[in-house]
C-alpha cells in the first residue's frame, strides 16, 4: 500500500514537472512571438513615417530592400533577399542552366562594354559577332557606364524574340547594326570531357545545378566507350557548388548503395537529414582523383569530402574554400524569395568543414576563422585522420604558381586580350589546341605590340624599395642614403623590360591560351591549358605512373595517414588571403 502511495506521489510530481516545463516552453514561445510582433510594429511605424514625411521622394521597394539587406548582413553572406525582378538571375545562378539569350559574355573597360567570349553555335556566333567587338547600343539603349549586370539583363529575353545591336569592330569607327533572334542558351554543368594520355579520363564539372549528376554519368559512359580507363579525374576547381542532392548523386556514381554521403543539422530539427547512396554505381572500381582549389566550395566540397572520407578517391590540389552551410529558399509574399542558411552539413566521417565563424567578427568587422583550438580530428573509413574547421585538405598538395607582376599587369590592362584580337585579324587559322604554341617570332611580335602601350606596374622588389624609402624619409636618414635609394629605384624601373624576357614562358602560355580561345572557344582554351596545368599533370601521373602511390594513400600508409595537421591551418588561411 505504501509502495502504491509512493508511486502515485512520484507520478504526480512527474506530471507537475511536465506541466511546468510545458508552461515554460509555451511562455518562451509566447515571449518570442511577442518580440517578433513588437519589432515588426516598430519597423512598420518607422517605414510609414519615412514614406510619408521624408523631405524627398523615396522608392518603397528600394527602402525595403536596403532594410532587409542590412538585417541579413549581420548573419552570413549566403542568407539573402531576392526581389521579384531578380528571380530569373537567381534561378540561373542557383537552380537552372537555361535562359533566353544570344550566347555571349561581356566585360567593362573604360566605361565601355566588350564581348569577352562567344558560345559556339549560338545566335551571336552565327551572326558573326567576334570577341573584342564593342557593344555600343542594345535595343537603342546606350551602354556607356552600364554594369555587366544591366548588360546581361538587356541581352536576355524571351526565346524567339529579337534584340537589336549596334557594335563597333576593333580598330574601326564604323558602327554595324544587326538584329539577332534569341534562343534558349544552356550552359552545361560539365564543360569539358577528354581522354588524356595514359588512358586517363577527364571531366570538368563547373557547378552542381539541375542535371549535373546526369551530365557526369553521361561523360563517364562516353569515356568508358572509348576504351578501358586506367583512371578518372574529376575537376572541381573553381566550382562554387549548387544543389546538395546533385552532389549526393554524383558521389553515388562512384560509390555503391547504402553509404552515407552527407548529413545536415540545424536549430530547426525538421532540417536534420542524412543522405545516402541509393542506386548501383556506374564506376565503382575505377581509380579516381578529384582536383580542388581555394575556389571549390559547398557542393563541390561535399563531393570531395565524401570521396575522401570513404577512401574512394585521392584529392589533389589546394585546400578548398571551407563552406559547410546549407541554404533553403522560401517563398514570401508578392513573388519574392528569401534564401536562408538552415543547417550545417557534415561529411561521412562527421566533420563540418566550415572555415569562417560568422557568429564573430574581428576589430575590422571581418569574419574570423575557426580557431585552431576548436579543430577536431576524425577518421576516414580506413582510419586515416582528417580534420574539420578549415575546408577540405588535399591528400596531395600541389600549389598553383602565382603569376609574376608583369603578367598580372598585362592581364589587368587587357593587353593580352587586345593582342589576341589583333592576332585573329591577321591569322585566318592556327593549329589545334593540342599542338599550338606561341612561337618565338609571335612572341617577338607581341613585344613590339607593347612598345607604345602604357602599363605601369611595380614588382615586389620595387614595392619593398618604396616602403624602405618612405621609412628612410620618415626617419630623416642622410641625403646620400635617400639618393642611393632613388637611383636604385630608377635602375629597377629600367629593368622592367627584362621582365618580358625573364617571364617569357609564363607569358607565352597565357598569351597562347587567349589566342586559342579566338579559334576554338572555351573548350579549346581548356584543352590548351592541359600541358601547363601542374595540378592536372600530378593527378594524371598518380593514376598512370604511380598506381602504388594511389593505393598507398587510400590505405593510409605512412605519411598519408594524416591529412591537414591543425598547426598548418593558420598559415594556409593567411596565404589564401
Amino acid at each position: 500500500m505504501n509502495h502504491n502511495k509512493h508511486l502515485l506521489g512520484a507520478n504526480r510530481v512527474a506530471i507537475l514537472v511536465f506541466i511546468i516545463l510545458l508552461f515554460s516552453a509555451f511562455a518562451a514561445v509566447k515571449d518570442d512571438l511577442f518580440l517578433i510582433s513588437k519589432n515588426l510594429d516598430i519597423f512598420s511605424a518607422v517605414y510609414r513615417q519615412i514614406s510619408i514625411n521624408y523631405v524627398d521622394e523615396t522608392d518603397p521597394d528600394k527602402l525595403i530592400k536596403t532594410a532587409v539587406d542590412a538585417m541579413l548582413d549581420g548573419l552570413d553572406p549566403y542568407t539573402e533577399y531576392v526581389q521579384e525582378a531578380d528571380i530569373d538571375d537567381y534561378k540561373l545562378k542557383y537552380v537552372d542552366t537555361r535562359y533566353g539569350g544570344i550566347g555571349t559574355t561581356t566585360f567593362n573597360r573604360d566605361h565601355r562594354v566588350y564581348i569577352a567570349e562567344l558560345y559556339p553555335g549560338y545566335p551571336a556566333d552565327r551572326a558573326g559577332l567576334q570577341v573584342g567587338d564593342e557593344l555600343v547600343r542594345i535595343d537603342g539603349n546606350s551602354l556607356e557606364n552600364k554594369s555587366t549586370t544591366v548588360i546581361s539583363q538587356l541581352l536576355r529575353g524571351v526565346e524567339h524574340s529579337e534584340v537589336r545591336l549596334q557594335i563597333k569592330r576593333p580598330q574601326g569607327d564604323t558602327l554595324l547594326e544587326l538584329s539577332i533572334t534569341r534562343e534558349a542558351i544552356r550552359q552545361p554543368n560539365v564543360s569539358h570531357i577528354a581522354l588524356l594520355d595514359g588512358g586517363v579520363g577527364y571531366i570538368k564539372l563547373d557547378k552542381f545545378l539541375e542535371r549535373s549528376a546526369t551530365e557526369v554519368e553521361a561523360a563517364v559512359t562516353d569515356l568508358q566507350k572509348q576504351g578501358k580507363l586506367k583512371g578518372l579525374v574529376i575537376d572541381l576547381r573553381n566550382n562554387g557548388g549548387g544543389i546538395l542532392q546533385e552532389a549526393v548523386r554524383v558521389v553515388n556514381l562512384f560509390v555503391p548503395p547504402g553509404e552515407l554521403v552527407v548529413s545536415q543539422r540545424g536549430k530547426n530539427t525538421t532540417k536534420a537529414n542524412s543522405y545516402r547512396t541509393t542506386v548501383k554505381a556506374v564506376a565503382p572500381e575505377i581509380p579516381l582523383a578529384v582536383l580542388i582549389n581555394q575556389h571549390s566550395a559547398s557542393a563541390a566540397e561535399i563531393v570531395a569530402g565524401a570521396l575522401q572520407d570513404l577512401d574512394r578517391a585521392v584529392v589533389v590540389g589546394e585546400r578548398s574554400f571551407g563552406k559547410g552551410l546549407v541554404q533553403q529558399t522560401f517563398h514570401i509574399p508578392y513573388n519574392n524569395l528569401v534564401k536562408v542558411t538552415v543547417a550545417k552539413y557534415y561529411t561521412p566521417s562527421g566533420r563540418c568543414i566550415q572555415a569562417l565563424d560568422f557568429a564573430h567578427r574581428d576589430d575590422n568587422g571581418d569574419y574570423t576563422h575557426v580557431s585552431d583550438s576548436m579543430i577536431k580530428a576524425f577518421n576516414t573509413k580506413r582510419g586515416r585522420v582528417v580534420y574539420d574547421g578549415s575546408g577540405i585538405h588535399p591528400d596531395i598538395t600541389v600549389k598553383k604558381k602565382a603569376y609574376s607582376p608583369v603578367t598580372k599587369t598585362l592581364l589587368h590592362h587587357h593587353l593580352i586580350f587586345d593582342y589576341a584580337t589583333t592576332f585573329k585579324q591577321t591569322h585566318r587559322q592556327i593549329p589545334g589546341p593540342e599542338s599550338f604554341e606561341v612561337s618565338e617570332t609571335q612572341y617577338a611580335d607581341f613585344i613590339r605590340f607593347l612598345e607604345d602601350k602604357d602599363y605601369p606596374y611595380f614588382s615586389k622588389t620595387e614595392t619593398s624599395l618604396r616602403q624602405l624609402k618612405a621609412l628612410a624619409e620618415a626617419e630623416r636618414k642622410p641625403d646620400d642614403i635617400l639618393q642611393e635609394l632613388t637611383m636604385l629605384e630608377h635602375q629597377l624601373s629600367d629593368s622592367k623590360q627584362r621582365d618580358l624576357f625573364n617571364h617569357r614562358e609564363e607569358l607565352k602560355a597565357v598569351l597562347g591560351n587567349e589566342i586559342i580561345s579566338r579559334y576554338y572557344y572555351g573548350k579549346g582554351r581548356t584543352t590548351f591549358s592541359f600541358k601547363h596545368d601542374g595540378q592536372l599533370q600530378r593527378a594524371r601521373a598518380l593514376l598512370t605512373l604511380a598506381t602504388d602511390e594511389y593505393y598507398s594513400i587510400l590505405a593510409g600508409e605512412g605519411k598519408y595517414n594524416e591529412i591537414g595537421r591543425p598547426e598548418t591551418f593558420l598559415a594556409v588561411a593567411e596565404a589564401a588571403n
Side-chain angles (χ1 to χ4, degrees):
M1 187 70 175
N2 289 338
H3 174 73
N4 289 338
K5 287 183 178 180
H6 178 73
L7 185 61
L8 182 61
N11 288 338
R12 287 175 176 172
V13 171
I15 292 171
L16 181 61
V17 169
F18 175 75
I19 292 173
I20 293 172
L21 290 174
L22 185 63
F23 179 79
S24 299
F26 176 76
V29 170
K30 187 176 180 180
D31 286 344
D32 285 344
L33 291 175
F34 170 73
L35 289 173
I36 292 171
S37 178
K38 169 189 169 183
N39 286 303
L40 285 175
D41 286 343
I42 292 172
F43 177 82
S44 177
V46 172
Y47 175 69
R48 173 182 284 273
Q49 294 301 327
I50 293 294
S51 298
I52 295 174
N53 296 312
Y54 189 70
V55 62
D56 295 321
E57 289 295 326
T58 58
D59 181 338
D61 288 341
K62 188 175 181 180
L63 276 178
I64 288 295
K65 180 164 174 55
T66 300
V68 173
D69 287 346
M71 175 176 65
L72 301 184
D73 185 58
L75 302 176
D76 64 58
Y78 311 113
T79 298
E80 59 180 310
Y81 166 56
V82 185
Q83 291 182 307
E84 182 180 12
D86 300 323
I87 286 178
D88 286 343
D89 288 337
Y90 171 85
K91 288 181 178 179
L92 181 64
K93 184 176 180 181
Y94 294 111
V95 182
D96 199 1
T97 59
R98 175 183 172 129
Y99 63 94
I102 63 173
T104 65
T105 60
T106 62
F107 72 94
N108 282 8
R109 177 183 184 183
D110 299 329
H111 309 294
R112 296 182 177 182
V113 180
Y114 296 88
I115 294 178
E117 185 178 0
L118 293 168
Y119 302 150
Y122 280 114
D125 184 36
R126 296 199 308 268
L129 291 182
Q130 299 174 11
V131 174
D133 284 347
E134 180 188 349
L135 288 177
V136 181
R137 290 181 181 275
I138 300 177
D139 287 332
N141 298 293
S142 173
L143 305 184
E144 190 170 359
N145 296 320
K146 293 287 195 303
S147 69
T148 52
T149 301
V150 171
I151 303 303
S152 178
Q153 291 171 345
L154 289 172
L155 288 173
R156 293 177 189 171
V158 179
E159 292 177 39
H160 311 302
S161 63
E162 281 199 348
V163 57
R164 292 179 293 108
L165 303 181
Q166 192 177 72
I167 67 170
K168 183 188 293 183
R169 294 287 189 205
Q171 301 175 345
D173 296 324
T174 304
L175 293 178
L176 303 178
E177 298 195 18
L178 65 160
S179 293
I180 300 178
T181 302
R182 296 183 179 96
E183 291 181 4
I185 309 298
R186 187 172 183 277
Q187 297 176 326
N189 296 282
V190 172
S191 63
H192 201 90
I193 309 166
L195 186 61
L196 308 178
D197 292 342
V200 172
Y202 171 86
I203 298 174
K204 179 75 174 76
L205 180 57
D206 292 328
K207 46 193 174 290
F208 287 88
L209 301 189
E210 289 181 346
R211 293 182 51 81
S212 57
T214 301
E215 291 180 36
V216 174
E217 181 176 4
V220 172
T221 301
D222 180 55
L223 288 167
Q224 288 174 327
K225 288 179 180 178
Q226 297 183 43
K228 182 177 175 59
L229 293 179
K230 290 187 177 180
L232 181 64
V233 176
I234 305 295
D235 190 348
L236 299 181
R237 292 173 298 181
N238 304 313
N239 184 321
I243 302 171
L244 179 146
Q245 290 83 351
E246 291 291 338
V248 175
R249 295 186 187 106
V250 168
V251 172
N252 199 167
L253 297 174
F254 309 103
V255 174
E259 294 284 1
L260 178 65
V261 176
V262 64
S263 57
Q264 64 180 55
R265 299 194 292 273
K267 178 183 71 175
N268 187 339
T269 55
T270 64
K271 305 304 177 187
N273 208 343
S274 295
Y275 299 86
R276 293 180 177 272
T277 54
T278 58
V279 299
K280 183 179 179 181
V282 299
E285 302 293 338
I286 186 171
L288 193 64
V290 177
L291 291 176
I292 61 171
N293 65 6
Q294 295 173 2
H295 302 290
S296 304
S298 191
E301 293 174 295
I302 290 175
V303 171
L307 293 174
Q308 186 180 57
D309 282 3
L310 297 172
D311 296 304
R312 176 63 186 88
V314 172
V315 179
V316 180
E318 302 165 287
R319 179 182 67 87
S320 66
F321 181 79
K323 179 178 181 288
L325 306 175
V326 180
Q327 284 74 44
Q328 183 175 347
T329 301
F330 299 92
H331 291 273
I332 56 177
Y334 302 102
N335 296 321
N336 297 309
L337 300 174
V338 61
K339 180 163 67 77
V340 181
T341 298
V342 297
K344 293 181 179 179
Y345 71 76
Y346 299 81
T347 66
S349 66
R351 54 181 169 151
C352 178
I353 52 83
Q354 177 64 29
L356 291 178
D357 179 4
F358 291 122
H360 300 91
R361 302 201 186 204
D362 61 21
D363 294 338
N364 297 321
D366 297 324
Y367 299 116
T368 59
H369 283 82
V370 174
S371 65
D372 288 354
S373 61
M374 298 296 293
I375 291 174
K376 299 176 182 177
F378 296 83
N379 293 103
T380 69
K381 194 172 184 179
R382 295 183 182 175
R384 294 188 296 157
V385 180
V386 290
Y387 295 92
D388 67 356
S390 191
I392 302 297
H393 283 256
D395 302 292
I396 300 176
T397 298
V398 181
K399 294 287 186 181
K400 182 179 179 180
K401 183 181 178 183
Y403 286 144
S404 63
V406 65
T407 301
K408 291 179 181 178
T409 301
L410 293 174
L411 287 168
H412 176 73
H413 289 276
H414 302 289
L415 292 173
I416 289 174
F417 179 92
D418 289 344
Y419 180 78
T421 300
T422 302
F423 185 95
K424 178 67 162 57
Q425 294 172 347
T426 56
H427 296 75
R428 290 189 59 188
Q429 60 184 21
I430 60 173
E434 298 87 356
S435 57
F436 176 74
E437 290 284 358
V438 174
S439 68
E440 289 298 320
T441 301
Q442 290 164 345
Y443 189 70
D445 184 58
F446 174 62
I447 300 298
R448 287 191 294 272
F449 171 82
L450 295 176
E451 287 178 354
D452 61 345
K453 306 298 187 297
D454 184 25
Y455 54 101
Y457 73 96
F458 299 112
S459 65
K460 292 181 180 179
T461 307
E462 282 180 296
T463 300
S464 298
L465 181 61
R466 282 172 170 259
Q467 293 172 346
L468 179 61
K469 185 180 177 184
L471 182 61
E473 289 172 345
E475 294 180 350
R476 300 190 178 185
K477 294 297 184 183
D479 289 342
D480 56 340
I481 293 178
L482 294 176
Q483 289 174 2
E484 287 183 16
L485 290 175
T486 301
M487 289 176 59
L488 183 56
E489 195 173 28
H490 289 317
Q491 290 174 357
L492 284 173
S493 179
D494 293 339
S495 73
K496 282 184 178 179
Q497 191 66 19
R498 291 197 293 273
D499 286 349
L500 296 173
F501 176 81
N502 294 334
H503 300 286
R504 65 192 299 122
E505 293 306 317
E506 173 183 283
L507 280 165
K508 285 168 68 175
V510 175
L511 187 60
N513 189 276
E514 190 64 39
I515 289 173
I516 209 73
S517 71
R518 297 295 196 273
Y519 299 85
Y520 300 100
Y521 304 93
K523 289 184 180 295
R525 191 191 288 272
T526 301
T527 300
F528 178 85
S529 71
F530 285 166
K531 50 195 147 189
H532 306 286
D533 188 341
Q535 293 171 342
L536 174 59
Q537 294 302 333
R538 181 67 176 89
R540 188 187 66 82
L542 175 75
L543 297 174
T544 55
L545 306 176
T547 52
D548 289 345
E549 180 187 18
Y550 173 83
Y551 291 110
S552 295
I553 292 173
L554 296 183
E557 297 175 357
K559 65 179 180 178
Y560 303 117
N561 190 53
E562 195 165 14
I563 305 165
R565 294 175 180 272
E567 59 265 27
T568 67
F569 288 173
L570 183 59
V572 171
E574 290 175 347
N577 292 328

